[in-house]
Amino acid sequence: MILFSPALAGCFLLALAASYVWVCLASPLRKVPGPRLSLFTSWVLKWHEFRAHRTQYIHRLHLRYGPAVRIAPNEVAFASAEGVKEIYGSGGSGYDKTEFYNLFQVYGRRTMFSTLNKQDHAKRKRVLADRYANTNVLRSASLDGIKERSKRFVDRCSKSLGGSIDLFICKGYSGFPTTNDLRSLHDYAFDCVSHHLFHPYGSDSLRNEEDEKIMRQVAFDDSLQNRLLSYYNPGLHAVVKNILALFSKPRETPLADNLVLSATSKSDPLEFTLLSRMQDKNYDLEQLDMAAECTDHMAAGIDTTGDALCFLMWEISQPRSVHVQKRLQEEIRSADPATPFDKLPYLDAVVMEGLRCFPAIPMSLPRYVPAGGRTIDGYYVPGGTIVSAQAYSTHRVDQRVFPEPERFNPDRWLQDAGDLDRKRLFFAFASGGRGCIGKHLALAEMKTLLIDVYSRYSTQPEESMTDGDMEMSDQLISSQPRGQKCWMKLVSLEGTS
Ligand code: HEM
């Protein structure tokens, strides 16, 4: 009977609590700066994650505690070049990914993005990398497709002259998209990425309402809380998922699945496409693996490029950045029309600064410290600890490298002094062997569209928009305007010199 006495149970719980506190206090992470509570619990971090504020919370901690900060008993965030290099670059592709990436499996398959360890990743990357190389993106079959879609986007926008357009969600005037309203940056990104994945079986969401619905399914993911719960507590998620679905829908993309499964069943995609590479018999990939890869890249290529363009165009439309827009227009309009998009230095600086201030994936990319532990930026971190860097902070915290970090200032990218330091901290596409494979494609899409828009138009913010509408809101991995809209006006430059 004595075994079940409440006093004994109390003593047992007390001893358990004391040993937990002891383990926390003895942790090598006690030496890493950070809020005291983070040594004992991850609940504060989780609270901010569920409220879609993780990135800003960690950034505030960096501003308070410095470039290395403990954010949970088993988690440390870094914002220094040394930290980034060690975590993402050591041994080529850095440390292994954490189970967080299990959330990104597609059709039950691991894609390149969701492979956790180096070996599996390297094997898949050997198949895919060729089609994302700059030389392949710049081939006319690929680039002409981007140019065609960019012209299509601008033509659609031209219809709004004298009125306003929502470049983000494109609800149109009645609240429902009609054929006349198909012109969001996400439609453009969708059509470009699906062109690169499996042309001629890609989407035409700038002209076709049915394809636009597919884009919406993939892009506007509001399953953050649902997916976080399934990650942290799969058991509880199984019990409450039906109730949770009323507030935070699970992620389902049947229309996109149809598009991809149908495209990957075709045997004649153009040679520059990713699908043609994956269908090479040497690689022995099953159709479901190819479909999973394509779905993944589609998701990776829509929100990122769409949001990056959206935040950037919004910024250069502000009265405070009018001089930037003017200089960009001058550079584009005075250049020989045959000038390649990557030979315009001010355009390059504007895009880099846009990605610095508004990285489409602003949040931390978690990795495990390998067995045996590592010293990262001067701190010993035991094996199994989750470590990460987030672009939002690496782009801001070190003010010797990025003075006045909150100011949108493309000129900083044109200075020789500090060039290397800026590049070491530029993390919008991450870095190392697991950095963004779609980087060249994304830059080609962004620059092509900016040339087409700003050679013909000026953009201005619409009066109903507030700063709050364009605050960055965390999703599972990317970010979007909190107001889910970006209304702007286009003014023709015709007649101006
Ligand atoms: C402005 C646009 C883009 C940005 C800012 C961006 C950013 C990133 C970042 C930060 C990562 C690393 C994620 C992590 O480690 O968790 C990543 C990975 C990746 N991105 Fe992008 N991305 C962009 C566009 C694209 C496009 C257009 C595609 C493809 C069509 C793409 C495909 C991928 C893939 C497949 C990976 C996984 C790479 C690997 O694990 O080796 N991205 N991207």
Side-chain angles (χ1 to χ4, degrees), residues 101 113 121 132 193 297 300-301 304 361 365 367 428-430 436-438 442:
Y101 290 88
F113 179 62
H121 175 260
Y132 286 111
V193 73
H297 295 211
T304 49
I361 301 187
L365 312 175
R367 304 290 192 261
F429 293 109
C436 180
I437 200 171

Side-chain angles (χ1 to χ4, degrees), residues 153-433:
F153 172 85
V154 175
D155 286 348
R156 312 277 336 174
C157 289
S158 311
K159 298 201 168 70
S160 79
L161 279 175
S164 313
I165 40 170
D166 184 356
L167 292 182
F168 179 72
I169 205 164
C170 190
K171 274 192 181 141
Y173 303 106
S174 58
F176 295 98
T178 68
T179 313
N180 281 338
D181 300 323
L182 305 182
R183 59 190 168 214
S184 83
L185 292 164
H186 294 65
D187 290 324
Y188 167 67
F190 178 33
D191 291 353
C192 285
V193 73
S194 61
H195 172 258
H196 201 80
L197 292 174
F198 33 65
H199 188 66
Y201 304 107
S203 61
D204 190 3
S205 65
L206 284 166
R207 293 189 299 197
N208 178 326
E209 284 175 51
E210 293 309 306
D211 283 2
E212 222 261 349
K213 286 183 191 150
I214 306 179
M215 183 283 291
R216 281 162 182 270
Q217 231 175 44
V218 180
F220 304 116
D221 182 7
D222 55 359
S223 64
L224 174 72
Q225 288 81 3
N226 204 318
R227 295 221 272 171
L228 280 178
L229 188 62
S230 84
Y231 167 52
Y232 284 124
N233 198 329
L236 180 61
H237 182 256
V239 176
V240 300
K241 68 177 179 202
N242 291 336
I243 302 169
L244 202 62
L246 300 175
F247 307 98
S248 170
K249 292 186 201 80
R251 184 167 168 78
E252 282 169 1
T253 56
L255 298 174
D257 298 343
N258 282 346
L259 173 80
V260 171
L261 289 169
S262 154
T264 50
S265 69
K266 305 287 197 308
S267 57
D268 57 348
L270 260 67
E271 204 225 326
F272 72 90
T273 63
L274 184 72
L275 182 59
S276 99
R277 173 81 170 179
M278 289 194 291
Q279 286 180 342
D280 186 325
K281 299 271 181 296
N282 289 319
Y283 302 122
D284 201 23
L285 286 182
E286 289 177 22
Q287 191 205 339
L288 211 53
D289 283 315
M290 299 186 217
E293 237 11 290
C294 287
T295 302
D296 200 33
H297 295 211
M298 221 160 77
I302 299 178
D303 277 346
T304 49
T305 314
D307 290 341
L309 276 168
C310 185
F311 281 111
L312 171 56
M313 289 173 69
W314 174 253
E315 176 57 41
I316 62 178
S317 304
Q318 301 307 303
R320 62 178 173 263
S321 295
V322 159
H323 62 287
V324 174
Q325 193 180 138
K326 278 219 160 80
R327 195 166 150 196
L328 180 63
Q329 284 159 338
E330 276 159 24
E331 181 181 75
I332 295 170
R333 281 157 66 91
S334 64
D336 179 330
T339 311
F341 69 80
D342 53 354
K343 296 285 178 279
L344 296 168
Y346 195 65
L347 173 65
D348 188 63
V350 167
V351 169
M352 289 296 284
E353 185 65 350
L355 289 165
R356 183 190 73 82
C357 291
F358 317 104
I361 301 187
M363 54 239 310
S364 28
L365 312 175
R367 304 290 192 261
Y368 275 131
V369 175
R374 294 289 185 276
T375 298
I376 309 175
D377 202 8
Y379 294 96
Y380 172 73
V381 186
T385 306
I386 298 173
V387 287
S388 61
Q390 57 177 26
Y392 191 86
S393 298
T394 64
H395 294 174
R396 287 173 163 83
V397 166
D398 190 339
Q399 299 196 15
R400 288 163 309 175
V401 179
F402 296 115
E404 295 185 86
E406 298 304 333
R407 189 155 79 88
F408 182 83
N409 174 20
D411 275 318
R412 68 175 89 233
W413 295 98
L414 297 171
Q415 293 159 15
D416 287 338
D419 185 49
L420 196 63
D421 289 334
R422 280 190 295 277
K423 288 191 176 136
R424 274 158 32 105
L425 278 170
F426 183 73
F427 197 57
F429 293 109
S431 58

Side-chain angles (χ1 to χ4, degrees), residues 37-57:
L37 210 52
S38 69
L39 197 53
F40 304 100
T41 177
S42 60
W43 278 105
V44 181
L45 180 66
K46 289 194 178 106
W47 163 251
H48 288 288
E49 281 177 4
F50 275 89
R51 294 184 59 236
H53 283 147
R54 179 185 159 106
T55 309
Q56 291 299 334
Y57 171 63

